[in-house]
Amino acid sequence: MEILHVSAECYPVAKAGGLGDVVGALPKYQQDAGHQAKVVMPMYRTKFLYNNDFDVVHKGYTNIGDYFFDYTIIKEKTNKLGFGLYLVDVNGLLDREKIYGYDDDVQRFTAFQVCVVDWIASWQFKPDVVHVHDYHAGLIPFMLQYCYRYNQLASIPTVLTIHNAQYQGWMTWEQSTLLPPYDEWKRGMLEWGNSINPLASAIKCASKVTTVSNSYLDELKYMSNGLEALFEYEKGKCVGILNGIDTQVWNPETDTYIKHDYSLATVEEGKAKNKAQLCETFGLDVNKPLFVFIGRLVGEKAADLLPNVIGDSFYYIGRRMNFLILGSGEPEVEARLNGMMPLSQNDYSCYIGYNEGLSHLMYAGADFLLMPSRVEPCGLNQMYSMRYGTVPLVRNTGGLRDTVKDIGEENGYGIVFNNASVGDVCNAVWRACDLYSDKSLFTKARAQMMQLDFSWETSVQQYLALYQSLR
């Protein structure tokens, strides 16, 4: 089967969050299962672009509205990622250093999608399925079916995977001219809430819709940023498939980002060495339990709670623990976290920014991971942490609910709380400190977590079965 993934992100080419991790791993495991998987994404100006060799495989000419332009499709020569990687170059639109955050993002991602569809139209043999990820590729199912220029592609099955339904890519109707000419009788397939909504359009037009966990699919029916009724209406074609993690990249026995590798048999010694390195780097007390937060400092991750959680934990529980924060996001949250640095008594530090190597070291050296997310469609961080023997403290939502079992339950191994509130998170920190003091229970939980299977193999078979059902 030939599978074409269309995405704005793909690790290690360009990544802003979990979307990049998934698109960098899922095709690799589909390829390993004997299928031909490809990824096409915009050609950003990244280190990966300059450090690798590419062949030009297609040149085309198309337009968005009255702007006509040349585009080029280039392919990474060696398939070093384990699958075919294709980049779309549109001079002046896609060749930027950042993935998102430009005033013309609507034009950029519309141009990207038009180029992808135009390129597919040139193929001698069409792909068996086009798998689009999030709203950045959400207009493609509509274009394949209803744009006159691409009528010959209407029979290609499409799958949409929703990694985060909060972001929907809204466009005004004035921007409808950016699309290739389409059947005006079908404009309702673009519309939601009196505007063009690429994510809603993909939900309506795709052959199948998947979310990245079963619990998240349930939550979308009552919490999806305005799409609740649509998810209820289209529930018959929606499926929850839990993400996996790339166990080749995230493996404490072979991780090239950490100096002190370890296995289940050597976890105590290995984590102690990595923790000592972290504490030395950030001026923390190695004898106290180390709590870390890794991720975007935004509202849906409940990062705004962190300053008060840390302050209240120190005040009410006592300075019995360390906190280390890695991430970037809302300037106000960044400023508050930075502003707490002078108050540290060798028990708090933060790194504002993105650092892949440091994140690996934190998973390897931390005792606990904080994930108080308000919204967490799947969550990969809790899976990474458990793979590295770091106990996750998670809110009972989305994929966190599907992957973490509370230590208070039979065969439990994590700490689960119900509300994204300072009080609930502080209570979880207090429970974690107690767990840390109970060495036998802590060691048992750590060993249990490290033996859990969050690999991609099971998820890949579910995706392949889904594709087969469309043929």
Side-chain angles (χ1 to χ4, degrees):
M1 206 172 356
E2 186 174 15
I3 307 147
L4 180 65
H5 292 271
V6 189
S7 174
E9 302 177 31
C10 176
Y11 176 82
V13 188
K15 166 188 163 182
L19 169 62
D21 286 324
V22 172
V23 178
L26 174 58
K28 178 167 64 175
Y29 288 92
Q30 290 177 333
Q31 190 87 17
D32 290 346
H35 300 273
Q36 187 178 3
K38 303 175 179 179
V39 171
V40 60
M41 63 182 295
M43 192 201 80
Y44 310 112
R45 297 203 175 279
T46 64
K47 289 181 181 179
F48 188 94
L49 174 68
Y50 295 115
N51 292 341
N52 293 278
D53 295 324
F54 293 83
D55 288 322
V56 173
V57 296
H58 181 75
K59 283 183 173 288
Y61 182 75
T62 188
N63 67 293
I64 50 171
D66 57 6
Y67 176 61
F68 289 78
F69 56 88
D70 296 297
Y71 71 91
T72 304
I73 309 287
I74 60 176
K75 180 183 185 296
E76 192 272 314
K77 281 187 174 182
T78 63
N79 278 17
K80 68 184 295 182
L81 301 185
F83 53 83
L85 173 70
Y86 298 81
L87 306 181
V88 180
D89 179 22
V90 178
N91 188 39
L93 272 181
L94 299 183
D95 53 346
R96 313 272 180 91
E97 292 186 0
K98 295 191 300 181
I99 303 173
Y100 315 117
Y102 297 99
D103 291 339
D104 60 349
D105 275 357
V106 167
Q107 288 79 6
R108 292 174 66 233
F109 287 111
T110 304
F112 164 62
Q113 294 172 85
V114 170
C115 291
V116 169
V117 174
D118 197 71
W119 174 48
I120 295 172
S122 74
W123 292 19
Q124 183 178 359
F125 302 103
K126 302 301 182 275
D128 292 294
V129 63
V130 174
H131 190 152
V132 301
H133 295 265
D134 275 353
Y135 81 85
H136 324 97
L139 294 171
I140 287 177
F142 177 87
M143 285 193 273
L144 291 175
Q145 291 180 62
Y146 302 123
C147 287
Y148 297 120
R149 193 186 299 170
Y150 305 115
N151 280 341
Q152 74 273 29
L153 306 179
S155 63
I156 299 176
T158 54
V159 172
L160 163 70
T161 291
I162 300 172
H163 300 261
N164 192 332
Q166 298 302 303
Y167 305 104
Q168 300 172 13
W170 301 272
M171 300 166 61
T172 65
W173 277 108
E174 286 74 21
Q175 292 171 316
S176 66
T177 57
L178 299 176
L179 296 172
Y182 58 87
D183 182 352
E184 286 287 342
W185 287 99
K186 299 297 182 180
R187 62 184 278 138
M189 302 300 278
L190 292 169
E191 191 269 341
W192 193 259
N194 299 317
S195 67
I196 296 175
N197 185 316
L199 186 65
S201 176
I203 295 166
K204 295 177 184 181
C205 296
S207 312
K208 288 286 185 179
V209 177
T210 74
T211 62
V212 290
S213 70
N214 283 304
S215 289
Y216 188 54
L217 177 57
D218 293 337
E219 290 175 7
L220 288 174
K221 294 169 187 172
Y222 61 85
M223 187 178 63
S224 52
N225 203 6
L227 299 182
E228 294 82 4
L230 181 59
F231 279 107
E232 180 61 33
Y233 183 77
E234 297 285 8
K235 62 185 178 182
K237 67 176 178 182
C238 296
V239 181
I241 300 178
L242 187 69
N243 283 339
I245 61 173
D246 191 335
T247 52
Q248 296 170 18
V249 173
W250 296 95
N251 184 352
E253 296 187 51
T254 59
D255 194 327
T256 56
Y257 283 112
I258 60 177
K259 291 182 180 178
H260 310 290
D261 293 339
Y262 57 91
S263 64
L264 179 60
T266 60
V267 60
E268 296 296 328
E269 180 185 355
K271 285 191 73 70
K273 289 179 178 178
N274 286 296
K275 182 178 180 180
Q277 182 185 343
L278 263 182
C279 289
E280 182 180 356
T281 302
F282 289 96
L284 303 173
D285 186 342
V286 74
N287 295 311
K288 297 176 179 178
L290 175 56
F291 292 79
V292 300
F293 175 94
I294 301 168
R296 291 179 295 127
L297 302 176
V298 295
E300 67 182 39
K301 301 295 183 185
D304 54 296
L305 302 180
L306 291 174
N308 288 342
V309 165
I310 294 166
D312 283 9
S313 295
F314 285 153
Y315 184 81
Y316 292 108
I317 304 172
R319 303 190 88 112
R320 297 164 47 192
M321 73 295 286
N322 299 304
F323 289 97
L324 177 60
I325 311 297
L326 166 64
S328 61
E330 295 173 3
E332 181 183 347
V333 178
E334 292 181 1
R336 290 184 67 196
L337 290 169
N338 269 329
M340 296 171 63
M341 291 283 284
L343 304 177
S344 172
Q345 298 177 19
N346 300 113
D347 50 17
Y348 168 75
S349 190
C350 68
Y351 180 106
I352 302 300
Y354 172 77
N355 188 316
E356 188 75 19
L358 177 57
S359 72
H360 283 247
L361 178 58
M362 289 169 70
Y363 287 119
D367 298 300
F368 300 98
L369 174 77
L370 289 169
M371 289 188 73
S373 308
R374 292 186 175 95
V375 178
E376 197 61 74
C378 175
L380 298 175
N381 289 13
Q382 81 279 11
M383 299 188 208
Y384 299 149
S385 76
M386 291 187 282
R387 176 94 165 139
Y388 283 68
T390 296
V391 177
L393 280 62
V394 304
R395 181 171 168 253
N396 188 25
T397 187
L400 302 178
R401 178 185 297 131
D402 293 348
T403 53
V404 180
K405 192 173 184 180
D406 190 83
I407 194 76
E409 300 178 33
E410 186 178 356
N411 297 320
Y413 41 80
I415 294 177
V416 181
F417 52 94
N418 288 325
N419 300 304
S421 66
V422 173
D424 268 28
V425 183
C426 285
N427 184 63
V429 170
W430 173 73
R431 291 183 65 203
C433 289
D434 273 5
L435 175 61
Y436 185 78
S437 300
D438 187 339
K439 291 302 179 187
S440 62
L441 185 57
F442 187 56
T443 301
K444 178 185 176 184
R446 180 174 271 171
Q448 199 166 339
M449 288 184 305
M450 292 184 71
Q451 296 177 76
L452 296 173
D453 182 10
F454 292 117
S455 63
W456 268 107
E457 278 77 5
T458 302
S459 302
V460 163
Q461 291 306 315
Q462 291 177 278
Y463 276 114
L464 293 175
L466 187 74
Y467 300 155
Q468 292 285 1
S469 73
L470 302 175
R471 299 183 71 185

